[in-house]
Amino acid sequence: MTSYPIGPMRPLRLLDLLPAFAFLASANIVQVAAAFLANLVLARLLIPEQFGRFALVLAGAQLVLSILSLRINVLIIRTPDAEDTPERRSLYFSVMTLETGAATLLALGYFLAIERVGAIEALLVVSIGLSHWLNHNKAFFERRMVYKGLAMIEAGCAIGAHGAAVALAIAGFGERSLFLREILTVVLQGGGLLLIGGLTFLPLRLPSRRDVALILGQSGGVWLDSMLEALFQRLGILIAGGLLGERGAGLLFLAQRLAMVPHQLLTPMVTRLAPNWFGRLEVETSRAAGRRTLLKVIAVPLVVAAVMTILLAGPMIHLVLGERWLPAAPAFAAMAGMVACLSLFEVMRGYCLSAARTRVLLAARCAQFAGYALPLVPILFGGSVDLQALGLALSAAYLCAFATGEFMLRR
């Protein structure tokens, strides 16, 4: 296992993360390319309504899980080495296992109550629960900053799951190919993590009152932020489904997927390595300087990507998704602000979580929801909104969130 000297005399530098970033970035490029090519084919085989139904079920199940999750993976990553004891690890393992079981059952109950669950939907909900548990569990392995095996597993899962979805769609499985893709991803991920020893299994125990107080004290701000994040991420799809039907939800879903591509390329650094790095830095000045450096590094390519989104939205939609998806082009162009600010906001968010600056982060979240609401004001006066307004809402949200958080941190 690679070890890094950490402490005031030798803080972990951004350059020290390059080997891990190389592994994760290579795997991430494979994942983004596999998803991009698969969606290119699926968009020509399926109609927007089919994507919309899948997106609504996915968003609903993930929202239930996100509300109940205490974000144990964040606690695992940011736990100081001196406090990473067997007792603490056992507690984290037990809590994340119990919360996953309870949340999955509640999500199934929710879909049964609204009569929108069949066999394939039930399997999707269960797989989302298992994915939640796997992502929390692998934090035990990930905090060691040994990313080579994880990168290979993630790339292999992407190729296998997206390839299978395309094959199933060609074979006539229709929207079921989208559901089966998510289910297969979880199966492959679980098998791969077992293969490299990336999963941790510890005895289950019921948390005591003292344990509950400890977990709630550690996760209070993290839970609230993550719950708001989960609500926000699924808000657009749920609003589009309610106002514009499954077709509108499907159009917004794929437009948002395209707008996420620049962020997906940067994900290894901004959502995985950066929070881990910030957590390992014990000197606040080093942590703050690292945040500012990383923001400068990624800002220029993000602005370029945003400008290209505005200028080429129509041709890109036509080329990538086909003519039937052209109504999504105005929404895609309107998401330029999201393209520019999403990764910047995630860097700021990772810093706040690692530095326990939850007050700043929650203020940024409030600004995010306020920004999202601005383009939707016509609804309050009996007016209507279209897909372009929903795209503008996403841009305004991330711009307001990042600007608010950075202003407070720099002040």
Side-chain angles (χ1 to χ4, degrees):
M1 181 180 70
T2 304
S3 61
Y4 300 97
I6 303 172
M9 297 300 295
R10 174 61 168 85
L12 187 62
R13 299 170 303 177
L14 186 60
L15 289 176
D16 295 325
L17 303 180
L18 287 181
F21 177 71
F23 287 126
L24 287 177
S26 299
N28 199 60
I29 290 172
V30 172
Q31 294 177 69
V32 172
F36 182 83
L37 294 174
N39 284 329
L40 187 151
V41 177
L42 292 171
R44 285 165 168 76
L45 296 173
L46 305 176
I47 60 176
E49 287 82 353
Q50 292 174 307
F51 272 93
R53 175 170 173 75
F54 162 75
L56 289 171
V57 175
L58 184 69
Q62 290 178 333
L63 182 58
V64 173
L65 276 150
S66 298
I67 290 173
L68 294 182
S69 174
L70 293 172
R71 304 317 189 273
I72 299 301
N73 57 333
V74 176
L75 304 187
I76 293 170
I77 290 294
R78 77 179 192 183
T79 297
D81 293 336
E83 299 177 16
D84 186 30
T85 62
E87 293 77 13
R88 181 67 62 84
R89 291 195 296 271
S90 176
L91 173 61
Y92 287 158
F93 177 85
S94 298
V95 171
M96 74 182 188
T97 302
L98 293 171
E99 75 170 19
T100 299
T104 302
L105 290 175
L106 187 60
L108 284 171
Y110 163 74
F111 283 108
L112 285 171
I114 63 173
E115 298 180 349
R116 294 192 63 172
V117 64
I120 193 69
E121 289 87 357
L123 280 174
L124 177 62
V125 172
V126 172
S127 70
I128 292 171
L130 181 56
S131 176
H132 173 86
W133 186 84
L134 290 173
N135 287 329
H136 280 63
N137 189 294
K138 72 179 181 182
F140 289 112
F141 185 76
E142 192 164 342
R143 69 172 276 124
R144 295 159 48 191
M145 303 191 77
V146 183
Y147 288 101
K148 182 177 181 180
L150 288 175
M152 295 175 65
I153 294 300
E154 290 166 2
C157 288
I159 294 172
H162 287 295
V166 170
L168 289 168
I170 293 173
F173 278 70
E175 67 183 33
R176 288 176 295 172
S177 60
L178 299 174
F179 289 83
L180 292 171
R181 176 179 64 183
E182 302 302 314
I183 295 168
L184 182 58
T185 298
V186 175
V187 172
L188 292 175
Q189 183 185 18
L193 289 172
L194 279 174
L195 187 65
I196 65 170
L199 291 180
T200 298
F201 295 95
L202 297 169
L204 282 175
R205 63 183 178 89
L206 288 176
S208 65
R209 289 184 180 180
R210 184 177 179 182
D211 292 333
V212 172
L214 173 67
I215 293 292
L216 293 180
Q218 290 181 330
S219 66
V222 176
W223 170 82
L224 182 56
D225 167 70
S226 298
M227 187 273 289
L228 292 174
E229 177 192 25
L231 176 62
F232 179 80
Q233 286 180 346
R234 289 140 188 99
L235 194 62
I237 298 297
L238 296 175
I239 289 177
L243 296 177
L244 307 174
E246 291 184 349
R247 174 178 172 79
L251 290 169
L252 186 69
F253 177 74
L254 275 194
Q256 195 168 337
R257 282 290 180 96
L258 283 179
M260 288 281 289
V261 169
H263 174 66
Q264 288 175 324
L265 292 172
L266 292 172
T267 290
M269 177 58 74
V270 301
T271 67
R272 296 182 68 176
L273 286 175
N276 207 345
W277 174 38
F278 294 147
R280 306 275 76 76
L281 293 173
E282 298 177 355
V283 180
E284 176 55 31
T285 53
S286 298
R287 187 184 291 128
R291 184 192 85 251
R292 292 192 294 268
T293 299
L294 186 53
L295 288 174
K296 293 175 183 177
V297 168
I298 67 174
V300 173
L302 287 173
V303 171
V304 172
V307 172
M308 298 298 289
T309 299
I310 296 173
L311 297 178
L312 302 175
M316 287 176 66
I317 290 283
H318 187 273
L319 175 65
V320 174
L321 302 179
E323 187 173 353
R324 73 173 67 170
W325 294 90
L326 276 177
F332 179 45
M335 293 178 191
M338 172 183 166
V339 172
C341 295
L342 173 54
S343 294
L344 300 177
F345 171 73
E346 285 297 327
V347 172
M348 186 271 295
R349 176 175 180 264
Y351 167 83
C352 288
L353 290 174
S354 299
R357 303 291 294 275
T358 52
R359 184 174 299 179
V360 172
L361 187 53
L362 293 178
R365 286 293 184 197
C366 291
Q368 184 179 44
F369 279 88
Y372 187 86
L374 288 176
L376 307 183
V377 168
I379 296 176
L380 299 176
F381 301 96
S384 60
V385 298
D386 55 13
L387 283 173
Q388 186 175 31
L390 294 178
L392 284 172
L394 288 169
S395 288
Y398 282 108
L399 176 60
C400 291
F402 173 67
T404 299
E406 274 300 303
F407 172 77
M408 293 181 69
L409 290 174
R410 291 176 182 269
R411 186 184 65 174

